[in-house]
Amino acid sequence: MNFKSFVKECHDKEVFKNLSIYIVSSWVLIQVFSVIYEPFGLPKISMTYLLLVLLVGFPFYVYLLWRYRLKPLESKFSRRKGLKVTSKTAGSKEELKGLKKRKVHLPGVHFYSPFQKLYFTSLFIISLISLFSAALIVKANFINQDNMSAFTFPEEPDNDRIAVLPFENNTTDPNLDVIGKMAVDWIMHGITQNKVGQVISPKVVEDYTKVLKATLVPSGENGVLKEYLKPSKVVTGTYYLKDGRLLLQCSVLDGNMNRTLVSFEITECDADSPLDCIEAVKQRVLGYLDSKGMAQLALEETPPNYKAYKLWLESDALLELQSDEQLSYINEAIAADSSFFKPKIDRVAYYYNRDQFAVADSLLQVLAAETGTKKEQLNMIKHYEACFNGDNRMAYRTYQEEYNVAPVEIELNLSTMVLALQFVNRPQDVDSIYRAIPEDDFDLDNCISCEYRYFVKGMANLELEQLDETIELLEPYARTAGQEWIKEVLMKAYVMDENHTAVYDLLQHIRLLGRIDYWQLMMLKTGLEYLKSGDDSKANQYFDEVLEYQEKRGALLSLAEREIQAELIFYKKDYPEAQNKFEALLPESGDAIAIQSFLAMTYYKNGNQIMAEESLAKLDNLRAKYQFGEVDYALARYYALTDNEHETLDHLTKAVAAGKRFTSTTFQNDVLFQSMKSKEDFQKILTFWY
């Protein structure tokens, strides 16, 4: 039986009609349930369970359809031509042999007709699809959760109500009851003042209990909370005396009071100064309640002091603005709570991101020595140790663990994209990381991280030769006033797309905005892109336009402009003039490695081999800690210019092994390495960290 005949027979036997009944009924059930589950007080996860039941039930329905509707029809062999012979009525060996050919046996199933065989084949395929779909739902809703409690209905109500219960006096001194009342009042005041949630006081619980008792409804403190007030969290505590000292213990429970969410360390103070204990406990409670759900604070062994937490929030906001004031808030947060890990690791990151690697490394060593055994803290320390050691693979791997906790937090998301592209050169990883955050809510004018995410995404697209997607993503920002990182990638895409008019218009727009320093740098980078594509004429047009502008400014050129000028002359192959420019820059420039490298190359091109060798020796003497392969990369550029492929590849390998990053101007994006990009040994360097 062919497929067309099978479909026709299914139609004749009303198979599709019966299947449509299940599908339409399921759809109606889902629609109705989506409306009624909330009024009935069912959790949102109920819808997931319903979908799973309907998916898994579909194959069973298909089988039952066969068992009770189709099988009785199939059993009437007398009505089917060619199926009248059975093992009992077969009169010859030939008839019996023919019967065996018609029967196809599977464990527990006997196919007496082609229709049945195709029906069960379809059932098998439907079962696979249903199970696969159910597996995806389970993975998305349960397997990726932080703990396996996701398989059960949530015990904690989804609200911001926080009940504060009386603190139990275990001192045996009723005169100290006032301490418990003070603790409750202090914590409630802090919750209300800082808008952490809606407070349910012991008085409210007591009033509800009295009312319910008066109406003869069974009640008790726990029952009132669970059945009527339904807080999301419950704060409770106890206090006692030991050797003349007051010890105060506090915990936060879930709304049903059957699971302890956090139990704070015992706070100890002088019995005559109970407010010291109460204030310390309040800070811990507020720190926990306000930071609950912030994935980055999963690093903490104990909830931070609330004052420290607020200071850290200020520092985190300044991180987005790349403000130097961030450091003062970080230091204040650490001073307010010496056990607060996040600002300590943020301080390491602050110096690391500003290339002050020695300071950052020394702070990391101190932090590592005082850190306990918490996995998340050790992982972040291991990450920065890998960064300082130039072990890019380990740096990427350890940060992925941090990213997996909160893929939608923009700083974690951006850092992971940067690590994927620039540390280990895996542009194929960038897209899934980028798409973890919806694009709708970005204000690029006030979000530097958002802009840089576009830059990294665009560069990854170019590495994967996705030109159209890159232009479509970034072109809306071609005429904006800022977004300089985005414009660099857009320029590269236009050059690769041979859209020369768009390139020129983009550069002219940048110049009209008045950012002359940035315009000169972009003109240099544009010329280099044309050199990479083999269009020397176009490259020189951009170089000459900048040089003409700089010539008019004369002695007014800044150090940065003079460095651009020297490079422009070098790439125009005016090596004698380039030598003069770089020699003049060497005493002033802060990048001695780059200047010495250019000098060595100009000396070589000018036929002065002795001076070239001297520059190489000076370059080699510039080696120092935390350079991450900078010197070897500079040497590789020299040997590439001199067509010494063996030395070029050798130094490039050393550079990448020391942690040299894959940026928009290095390795495959460096104009000096274009002749060897397609060679196998060069490709091995690009995949060094795979």
Side-chain angles (χ1 to χ4, degrees), residues 433-634:
I433 303 169
Y434 173 81
R435 295 188 185 280
I437 299 180
E439 301 177 34
D440 304 335
D441 301 329
F442 292 155
D443 178 8
L444 297 192
D445 291 328
N446 298 303
C447 181
I448 297 172
S449 297
C450 302
E451 177 188 341
Y452 201 71
R453 285 182 75 251
Y454 276 71
F455 168 78
V456 177
K457 168 63 174 165
M459 285 302 302
N461 285 351
L462 295 185
E463 294 294 335
L464 300 173
E465 299 181 352
Q466 297 172 352
L467 276 181
D468 292 341
E469 182 180 340
T470 305
I471 293 172
E472 182 182 356
L473 175 69
L474 305 181
E475 201 163 38
Y477 305 100
R479 294 293 179 268
T480 57
Q483 289 82 53
E484 294 174 353
W485 290 103
I486 290 176
K487 289 180 173 62
E488 178 179 345
V489 186
L490 189 58
M491 174 273 292
K492 289 174 178 284
Y494 283 149
V495 173
M496 294 172 67
D497 197 41
E498 298 183 359
N499 191 341
H500 307 307
T501 302
V503 176
Y504 181 78
D505 289 345
L506 179 64
L507 271 295
Q508 286 301 109
H509 174 73
I510 292 173
R511 185 174 187 178
L512 288 173
L513 291 175
R515 292 293 310 279
I516 300 301
D517 290 350
Y518 174 62
W519 170 76
Q520 293 178 68
L521 180 61
M522 279 291 288
M523 293 287 281
L524 168 61
K525 290 183 176 181
T526 303
L528 293 177
E529 288 301 313
Y530 276 114
L531 286 182
K532 284 162 57 178
S533 67
D535 193 339
D536 291 11
S537 175
K538 278 284 183 187
N540 286 328
Q541 287 180 24
Y542 283 92
F543 293 158
D544 289 340
E545 186 174 345
V546 181
L547 289 172
E548 182 180 344
Y549 167 80
Q550 291 180 335
E551 185 177 354
K552 292 177 181 178
R553 282 176 54 82
L556 298 176
L557 291 177
S558 66
L559 176 60
E561 288 177 307
R562 288 165 54 205
E563 289 176 341
I564 291 173
Q565 183 184 55
E567 287 193 46
L568 289 167
I569 295 170
F570 174 85
Y571 288 117
K572 279 181 61 65
K573 300 181 180 179
D574 184 354
Y575 297 115
E577 181 62 18
Q579 176 182 323
N580 294 333
K581 297 294 184 184
F582 283 118
E583 284 178 340
L585 283 170
L586 186 60
E588 302 177 61
S589 176
D591 191 356
I593 293 175
I595 301 300
Q596 282 290 1
S597 176
F598 276 114
L599 273 175
M601 289 187 282
T602 55
Y603 288 143
Y604 174 85
K605 285 294 187 179
N606 291 327
N608 195 338
Q609 190 63 40
I610 295 176
M611 292 294 291
E613 293 293 334
E614 288 182 3
S615 286
L616 292 179
K618 291 177 181 177
L619 189 59
D620 201 59
N621 288 333
L622 290 175
R623 294 182 185 275
K625 199 174 181 181
Y626 310 118
Q627 287 179 336
F628 309 112
E630 199 68 38
V631 170
D632 280 303
Y633 187 83

Side-chain angles (χ1 to χ4, degrees), residues 364-380:
L364 184 70
Q365 300 311 314
V366 172
L367 182 56
E370 64 184 30
T371 298
T373 58
K374 189 171 177 62
K375 178 184 176 183
E376 292 82 1
Q377 295 182 1
L378 296 175
N379 182 69
M380 285 307 298

Side-chain angles (χ1 to χ4, degrees), residues 133-194:
S133 302
L136 290 179
I137 294 174
V138 170
K139 182 177 185 297
N141 291 276
F142 302 129
I143 304 302
N144 289 339
Q145 299 295 326
D146 292 337
N147 56 64
M148 298 306 291
S149 65
F151 283 105
T152 61
F153 290 125
E155 300 174 353
E156 188 174 311
D158 185 17
N159 60 63
D160 65 347
R161 292 191 291 274
I162 301 165
V164 182
L165 298 184
F167 276 49
E168 186 178 355
N169 181 3
N170 288 326
T171 65
T172 71
D173 185 355
N175 293 323
L176 296 180
D177 287 347
V178 66
I179 293 177
K181 187 178 184 308
M182 288 170 60
V184 170
D185 291 343
W186 217 254
I187 293 171
M188 287 195 305
H189 177 71
I191 293 172
T192 302
Q193 183 183 39
N194 295 284

